Amino acid sequence: MSTLPFSASGVHSKSVSHYISNSSFLDFDRGRRNSKLFFIRTPCFNHSRRRRRRNLSVKNVASDHKQQVKEPNTEEASVDTFVPDSATIASSIKYHSEFTTSFSPEHFQLPKAFYATAESVRDMLIINWNATNSYYEKMNVKQAYYLSMEYLQGRALLNAIGNLELSGVYAEALKKLGHNLEDVAGQEPDAALGNGGLGRLASCFLDSLATLNYPAWGYGLRYKYGLFKQLITKEGQEEVAESWLEMGSPWEIARNDVSYPVKFYGKVVSGTDGCKKWVGGEDIMAAAYDVPIPGYKTKTTLNLRLWSTKVSPQEFDLHAYNAGDHAKAYAAIKNAEKICYILYPGDETVEGKTLRLKQQYTLCSASLQDIIARYERRSEEPVNWENFPEKVAVQMNDTHPTLCIPELIRILMDVKGLSWKEAWNITQRTVAYTNHTVLPEALEKWSLELMQDLLPRHVEIIRTIDEELLHTIVTEYAMEDVDLLQQKLKQMRILDNIELPESVAKLLVKSEENSAAHPTEEVDISGEESKDAVEEDQSEEQEVEEKNEVTFEPDPTLPKMVQMANLCVAGGHAVNGVAEIHSEIVKNEVFNDFYQLWPHKFQNKTNGVTPRRWIRFCNPDLSKIITKWTGTEDWIINTEILSTLQKVNCYIQVLYRTNVHDQQFADNEDLHSEWREAKRRNKIKVASFLKEKTRYVVSPDAMFDVQVKRIHEYKRQLMNILGIVYRYKKMKEMSPEERKESFVPRVCIFGGKAFATYVQAKRIVKFITDVGVTVNHDPDIGDLLKVVFVPDYNVSVAEVLIPGSELSQHISTAGMEASGTSNMKFAMNGCIVIGTLDGANVEIREEVGEENFFLFGARAHEIAGLRKERAEGKFVPDPRFEEVKEFVRSGVFGPYNYNELMGSLEGNEGYGRADYFLVGKDFPSYIECQEKVDEAYRDQKRWTKMSILNTAGSYKFSSDRTIHEYARDIWMIEPLVLP
């Protein structure tokens, strides 16, 4: 372990005063100060290529020599203003190791080195960060505000210095201080602010927004303990709290002057002026923590503002404390703080549901108050609220931030004094909604009773929105088809199973009366026959009337609910799916009634991932090859250049003086050799990582087959492990020679968290680990098959696994995965996908070529029919599927009883049975497809070409492209490059 004694650091406490007296911080939230930048805290950076500047004389505490530190002019500074060398950076790190980090001064060990290095980087980020926000204030541009309950950022150090293009000098500086950059970066914990693709997408979007110079901010919650840290024991998955903030985060800045009140409970009263006021109840404060988000090769540095919850010190009951009732004394403090303890607290209880709703409202309320305050600060007096949507775009990342719709209306009406019509119009023009799921349980519904208790004013507003929507529906469909109208009201209402508003009920009665009125014909009743005919006609009319009599009364046996997704669609101006197939399902199934009413609202925005983190920084070996063979580094921002790997290789003709005009990059033997070597180096890193994390030793000569994502039945990790069990069983039935002849060696890697209360998902984790224990210790099998479950899967783990993977499994039941983003990351890194036609798999297959994608399974349009067939008892399982289930039940994988797990795949109906996710249906085509995988892998030339073409075809899946589309089609914002 390297040490740096205090006396050797060259840092003297007497010099601190020079830093304090000569430092200044620009508060861009107030925005009233001089926009010139102040070089903060560390005066040790050399500046070159300066434009207009002025001198700031400071004492260099690292060298104890005076030097001139230049302060750049915000308006004219360029992105390359600061070009520090390694000595300058080493000096900065030494300064922070002494005066900033919370470590003992005697030694300079890895943890201390990380925090000092991160603080050094943050100094540079803050300069660009302040310049960015000052410029936005000055230009008064329209900004996009991204609201998300999750941000799965991963480690920030290597990403930040990579975006600043300082990786080399930081590596050199740390080497001078006795440390390796990768070892120092490895000390950083992943920020525990997310769980899966939803959060990772949000982080990729922020990276792209900054890189492309779009004016935007992100808003989220600062979870103290994250989701949970996953431990894998002999019992399967166990959860403990994450400790990512135990040592503090060097990236965040507490904005002690930025906080907003958030209210719960209470009641609504009407003032003498007729305006509504929400009074009483429970009051907390949301306090801001800011995290800078740097763009790549640009000065633009955006902001992620995270909210933490607290109460004022006056809420501490000193009298109760002194009386010995300590729990009562700090009850209000704990009640406020717990809102931001855990991401997605269990909601099996009323308390859990209440806490989740508090989280969502805290995010919405604090963020909107902040957005409105920023708008007012930039506006002239009096504030023109009609112009609000011309300066503000709010994007709701899934349904979690839905409450921003009634909250924006509440603030505009109750605080700013606007009318309902004005507030509703402004809100609809401001807010947009991204749908991420077709799963019914993920389309959030909240108990009306709970929401009425917690947010009474918002329920009033939601009732008004619901009434507006009902009037629109009734006007559109009238009473011509009462059954159709009833269906539309049922599907489209925001308030489910709740009585109709009086205005709508009257409208329906009036429509019924109008539809019942019709001219009567003259009838001759002089004869008996005519009398009978009249009676018959009257009887038929009565029968028709009885048939058309429709009741819109609520069902007292069912709960009254608020349908948040419907509120999102009604309250916003745009709704987008996140893959082509998903957007079609959204239009044709999930929100078909809304689509028929408002087709102009619906769009597709296929997800994307940032090529900086997911190729350039996590896979430097592959990045160098791509740069060499495309002849440019521009692909890091313009991924369309990757597609040249599919085209005729003109560059090869020059480089190798060849006249082969029809040769593609993907066919070149030199490229193949370099490509395979890079993949092998990455596989060696993966093997080393697996040994460190799981103690399993795997061979880098085997195929690395990976499925890493949230554990869920629809993602079908169960089908994957059953396929492995089938493979293992067949191996055991063969001689050693037959095994080697029949099977390609594989290392099957799993990773992902099962939600703490999701029993079936946790059974799947247990099953995978049990199979691994058995297979990995079987001497008959050896290196032919290994099964490894990587604990606590997160972004940092993905950055190791993805570059070294060769086959990636995206095998969800067709039509159930909205998009997926990990499939894009794998394809970018030359990994070949086996999967169904689901989510972004459809588009990936189109781009990389059908022959470079392993396809199996039922199609999305077949799923409903297959489930119906199962319910009717017509499904005949494949003998191989029955064989593998019996093998599991035989106890070969230990004493754990897997009857419940296997039973979920059996029967024709019932909750938790009947194989709802069609594992049995797709299993035969899945194992047959795996045989094709083995066949392709044996031909390494073919496999390498497939790998190259996957990277080439992934150009479409950059989050840069996605952000351009959001900016153009939904937010209506333009890039703003700092001068």
Side-chain angles (χ1 to χ4, degrees), residues 777-790:
H777 292 93
D778 190 329
D780 294 338
I781 302 303
D783 287 338
L784 271 179
L785 184 62
K786 297 290 183 184
V787 180
V788 183
F789 192 100
V790 181

Side-chain angles (χ1 to χ4, degrees), residues 408-631:
L408 179 55
I409 293 172
R410 182 192 71 83
I411 295 172
L412 292 175
M413 290 181 65
D414 299 358
V415 181
K416 305 303 177 183
L418 273 64
S419 68
W420 159 259
K421 184 177 180 180
E422 291 171 322
W424 177 229
N425 177 265
I426 290 168
T427 300
Q428 284 188 303
R429 291 162 54 208
T430 301
V431 176
Y433 162 52
T434 298
N435 174 272
H436 282 279
T437 185
V438 299
L439 298 179
E441 65 267 24
L443 293 173
E444 284 188 302
K445 295 183 180 181
W446 286 103
S447 161
L448 178 66
E449 182 181 2
L450 171 61
M451 191 175 286
Q452 177 71 57
D453 188 36
L454 191 69
L455 304 169
R457 178 61 177 131
H458 296 75
V459 169
E460 286 188 354
I461 293 169
I462 291 170
R463 284 185 182 275
T464 306
I465 297 173
D466 184 61
E467 187 171 352
E468 288 263 352
L469 177 61
L470 290 173
H471 276 281
T472 301
I473 296 168
V474 172
T475 301
E476 180 72 17
Y477 297 101
M479 291 294 292
E480 295 175 4
D481 188 334
V482 180
D483 290 335
L484 177 62
L485 178 61
Q486 188 177 32
Q487 175 194 330
K488 296 292 183 183
L489 294 178
K490 173 68 176 174
Q491 295 295 326
M492 299 175 71
R493 280 201 70 180
I494 297 165
L495 299 177
D496 183 37
N497 198 41
I498 296 171
E499 64 281 353
L500 290 173
E502 185 177 347
S503 64
V504 178
K506 288 180 178 178
L507 191 63
L508 289 175
V509 169
K510 185 177 180 180
S511 298
E512 284 181 335
E513 289 173 350
N514 291 339
S515 64
H518 58 274
T520 57
E521 298 177 1
E522 290 187 8
V523 180
D524 181 4
I525 55 172
S526 59
E528 193 68 29
E529 183 175 312
S530 297
K531 197 179 294 186
D532 290 342
V534 170
E535 291 177 358
E536 185 177 339
D537 287 344
Q538 290 175 342
S539 176
E540 287 178 359
E541 284 183 16
Q542 184 177 358
E543 185 178 330
V544 169
E545 287 178 5
E546 288 176 357
K547 181 180 178 182
N548 286 340
E549 185 179 352
V550 177
T551 61
F552 293 91
E553 296 299 318
D555 186 340
T557 64
L558 297 176
K560 298 180 178 182
M561 307 296 288
V562 183
Q563 301 191 98
M564 305 302 274
N566 289 7
L567 177 56
C568 286
V569 179
H573 66 89
V575 181
N576 72 276
V578 289
E580 287 180 0
I581 186 174
H582 171 240
S583 295
E584 290 305 306
I585 292 171
V586 164
K587 291 190 294 186
N588 298 328
E589 298 178 28
V590 181
F591 297 123
N592 180 252
D593 295 305
F594 286 104
Y595 176 64
Q596 292 179 35
L597 185 61
W598 298 312
H600 62 277
K601 284 192 179 186
F602 290 80
Q603 303 182 19
N604 174 63
K605 296 287 173 279
T606 299
N607 283 343
V609 298
T610 167
R612 269 76 63 186
R613 182 179 287 269
W614 294 111
I615 308 183
R616 176 63 183 86
F617 301 145
C618 78
N619 199 343
D621 288 336
L622 183 62
S623 298
K624 291 174 185 175
I625 293 171
I626 294 171
T627 298
K628 172 185 173 181
W629 288 81
T630 60

Side-chain angles (χ1 to χ4, degrees), residues 296-297 611-612 627 630-642 960:
Y296 178 70
K297 285 190 176 183
R612 269 76 63 186
T627 298
T630 60
T632 178
E633 278 195 340
D634 291 349
W635 63 268
I636 300 170
I637 294 178
N638 180 14
T639 54
E640 191 167 344
I641 293 171
L642 293 175
D960 295 353

Side-chain angles (χ1 to χ4, degrees), residues 877-947:
D878 187 273
R880 292 167 290 185
F881 186 56
E882 297 301 287
E883 178 185 350
V884 77
K885 286 190 296 178
E886 288 306 310
F887 189 58
V888 172
R889 285 189 167 112
S890 71
V892 68
F893 300 114
Y896 186 86
N897 189 336
Y898 283 107
N899 284 335
E900 288 290 334
L901 187 59
M902 295 299 105
S904 70
L905 306 173
E906 297 171 339
N908 296 323
E909 58 185 356
Y911 179 76
R913 293 181 63 79
D915 193 11
Y916 184 78
F917 301 100
L918 303 180
V919 173
K921 176 64 181 178
D922 283 351
F923 186 76
S925 62
Y926 175 69
I927 60 175
E928 289 162 10
C929 192
Q930 289 285 15
E931 292 172 2
K932 294 177 183 177
V933 171
D934 276 8
E935 179 185 349
Y937 194 77
R938 287 189 181 95
D939 183 349
Q940 277 295 292
K941 183 176 181 180
R942 175 190 171 191
W943 189 273
T944 304
K945 180 176 180 178
M946 293 172 71
S947 176

